[in-house]
Amino acid sequence: MLLEIEQALERINAVCDSLPAQTLPASNALHCILAEHVYSDIDSPPHDKSIVDGYALRAEDCTTVPTVLKILEEITAGQVPTLTVTSGTATRIMTGAPIPNGTNAVVMVEKTELPNEQEIAIHEVAPRVGQNIMRKGTSLQCGQLVLETGKQLRSIELGLLAEIGRVNVQVIPQPRVAVLATGNELVEAQNKPGAGEIRNSNSPLLCGLVQAAGGVAIDLGIGRDNVAHLQSLCAAGLRENVLVISGGVSAGVLDLIPHVLTDLGVQCVFHKVNLKPGKPLWFGKLTTPQHECIVFGLPGNPVSSLVCFELFVRPVLQKLAGKSFCGMQMCHATLTTEFVYRGGRRTLHPAKFNSETKQVTPLTWRGSGDLFTLTHANAFIEFQGDARTLTCGQQVNIYLF
Ligand code: AMP
Ligand code: MG
């Protein structure tokens, strides 16, 4: 009996765990999950500051319109006031500069007029005490808990970490994923394929999927279908957190990957799932006292690799990164056309989903080697069981990607 998708996911989930926390420069921690509580080392703002360009003064001085005050000095952001403001005087102040002693309000420059270089005429009636002043510590206080363990770091949090002086943070690191394409027929994209050869689509496809899923891709290039070559490349890949291999896991005479992996000590968890495309999927784990590596052998056809990645690899990368193990997003949609499904196995068929109308259109697809059709796809329609004709308007399950 072949495993169903859900059973395969359960077995995968059961053997993978969040990676151990590491201290990283905050600049390398975007999207990572925080693995410590973070506290502020300062009050923010660190001083009472002006939030406008204008004049710091005593609100009680402004009894008439205009009130003319003597300008004591000018303070820009980064400077410190040197003079105390007394009755009948004011300090010209710029946004962000510390509030001078003796003042309790700032009038914005737009509400003033300069009769001469020494004086300022204030045209605001009865300024409110405290207006245009941000008090020390109103945003954050020294010692305050500002970010909690488990929080995902966005750009906002990176800015905040800088504000409180944190250049290094403890996070769950991004999983490192080795990508190995296999096949004697493969040539790299810059080469013209000779007789019997094709270009290697899977390395760029899988490296891109790894990056989009929040992993760091390590491209091991092409492995030839001989045991020695595959063994040395797989051994290199097993030093990372995850090894994703494409090709060589089916029933052909040169499908050597399962044998090579078990020889290297990788424990097979399952081989084959009830899925089209993607049936030959191989999954296992290497466990040594020092290191663990999750291993996927994906079938070589590019669309099979894509389907298996989206269904099974992406949730692993999320879990390793400290997030939840979450499969592909599923929903219901309405078929826009009749569709004849020639089934047997549970099938994911490329389709175009319209999220506004909730309608889905199956694409004319030539099978798992047809990556071109996938350029128009954003979903897979799920077909179950035996061949049948689905009618226009019928509800189907779809997986979004
Ligand atoms: P395999 O799983 O090795 O039997 O390969 C199945 C099919 O996928 C064959 O037609 C291969 O030529 C093709 N294939 C395998 N690897 C790649 C790759 N990296 N890029 C494009 N096609 C591939
Ligand atoms: Mg092959």
Side-chain angles (χ1 to χ4, degrees):
M1 268 289 276
L2 288 179
L3 282 188
E4 291 301 323
I5 296 172
E6 294 73 16
Q7 295 171 313
L9 282 170
E10 265 173 44
R11 296 209 188 172
I12 294 170
N13 191 11
V15 299
C16 61
D17 272 316
S18 167
L19 295 173
Q22 266 180 20
T23 300
L24 290 185
S27 54
N28 293 349
L30 184 64
H31 304 315
C32 289
I33 299 290
L34 196 58
E36 61 169 330
H37 286 337
V38 173
Y39 299 87
S40 179
D41 76 334
I42 45 148
D43 289 326
S44 180
H47 48 256
D48 293 352
K49 72 175 183 184
S50 178
I51 60 169
V52 296
D53 298 322
Y55 291 84
L57 43 70
R58 295 152 38 95
E60 58 273 28
D61 279 0
C62 302
T63 47
T64 55
V65 173
T67 295
V68 177
L69 301 171
K70 179 169 175 273
I71 301 171
L72 286 186
E73 61 176 338
E74 177 181 282
I75 307 296
T76 56
Q79 293 182 323
V80 178
T82 60
L83 301 170
T84 297
V85 171
T86 53
S87 183
T89 68
T91 287
R92 183 183 290 144
I93 191 164
M94 302 302 132
T95 305
I99 298 296
N101 284 337
T103 64
N104 58 13
V106 177
V107 170
M108 62 201 296
V109 69
E110 290 82 349
K111 293 182 177 166
T112 68
E113 210 175 30
L114 262 184
N116 56 61
E117 279 306 299
Q118 285 80 42
E119 290 176 320
I120 185 69
I122 308 292
H123 286 273
E124 188 168 344
V125 204
R128 191 173 46 79
V129 169
Q131 76 172 30
N132 296 326
I133 295 173
M134 187 177 182
R135 293 292 174 195
K136 172 181 170 166
T138 41
S139 170
L140 286 177
Q141 274 151 36
C142 186
Q144 185 181 331
L145 173 62
V146 292
L147 295 173
E148 291 188 37
T149 297
K151 174 108 184 151
Q152 183 164 13
L153 300 178
R154 303 165 299 169
S155 310
I156 294 166
E157 283 74 31
L158 298 190
L160 184 75
L161 287 169
E163 182 178 347
I164 61 170
R166 288 297 300 264
V167 289
N168 295 307
V169 270
Q170 278 240 342
V171 292
I172 310 297
Q174 289 178 284
R176 292 175 54 86
V177 183
V179 172
L180 173 63
T182 71
N184 286 336
E185 73 280 32
L186 302 178
V187 299
E188 292 298 13
Q190 63 272 21
N191 300 325
K192 190 109 186 147
E197 294 178 337
I198 59 166
R199 293 197 178 98
N200 170 18
S201 302
N202 286 347
S203 294
L205 169 72
L206 292 168
C207 287
L209 287 167
V210 166
Q211 287 170 282
V216 177
I218 297 116
D219 188 354
L220 299 179
I222 298 171
R224 298 304 169 196
D225 294 321
N226 73 72
V227 170
H229 195 220
L230 291 176
Q231 219 156 32
S232 77
L233 286 169
C234 286
L238 288 172
R239 290 197 279 272
E240 307 301 345
N241 305 123
V242 181
L243 169 58
V244 175
I245 302 162
S246 81
V249 288
S250 307
V253 290
L254 288 182
D255 288 334
L256 307 170
I257 289 296
H259 162 74
V260 164
L261 289 172
T262 41
D263 269 6
L264 287 167
V266 183
Q267 206 77 41
C268 178
V269 176
F270 64 82
H271 189 187
K272 299 199 170 100
V273 277
N274 181 26
L275 172 63
K276 187 178 158 185
K279 180 179 163 194
L281 176 69
W282 193 97
F283 176 75
K285 182 178 178 182
L286 176 77
T287 309
T288 72
Q290 302 80 34
H291 179 68
E292 290 188 351
C293 180
I294 299 288
V295 184
F296 287 94
L298 313 183
N301 267 314
V303 183
S304 314
S305 276
L306 168 71
V307 167
C308 288
F309 187 97
E310 290 293 334
L311 278 174
F312 304 111
V313 185
R314 184 187 296 275
V316 167
L317 302 194
Q318 285 166 351
K319 187 161 185 194
L320 264 53
K323 301 163 199 168
S324 57
F325 185 90
C326 198
M328 274 181 93
Q329 194 194 338
M330 264 181 75
C331 66
H332 299 299
T334 311
L335 272 181
T336 57
T337 112
E338 180 187 278
F339 189 75
V340 180
Y341 159 60
R342 293 171 216 294
R345 225 178 318 140
R346 192 169 174 184
T347 299
L348 297 192
H349 185 98
K352 197 167 180 172
F353 173 61
N354 181 331
S355 57
E356 274 162 31
T357 62
K358 308 285 179 222
Q359 289 180 319
V360 69
T361 306
L363 295 170
T364 304
W365 180 47
R366 320 285 173 198
S368 47
D370 175 13
L371 191 57
F372 172 61
T373 294
L374 271 286
T375 61
H376 305 291
N378 59 359
F380 293 109
I381 304 178
E382 178 178 24
F383 296 119
Q384 300 262 13
D386 292 328
R388 61 200 168 109
T389 301
L390 300 166
T391 53
C392 177
Q394 191 165 339
Q395 287 285 108
V396 287
N397 277 343
I398 63 168
Y399 290 84
L400 299 173
F401 65 92

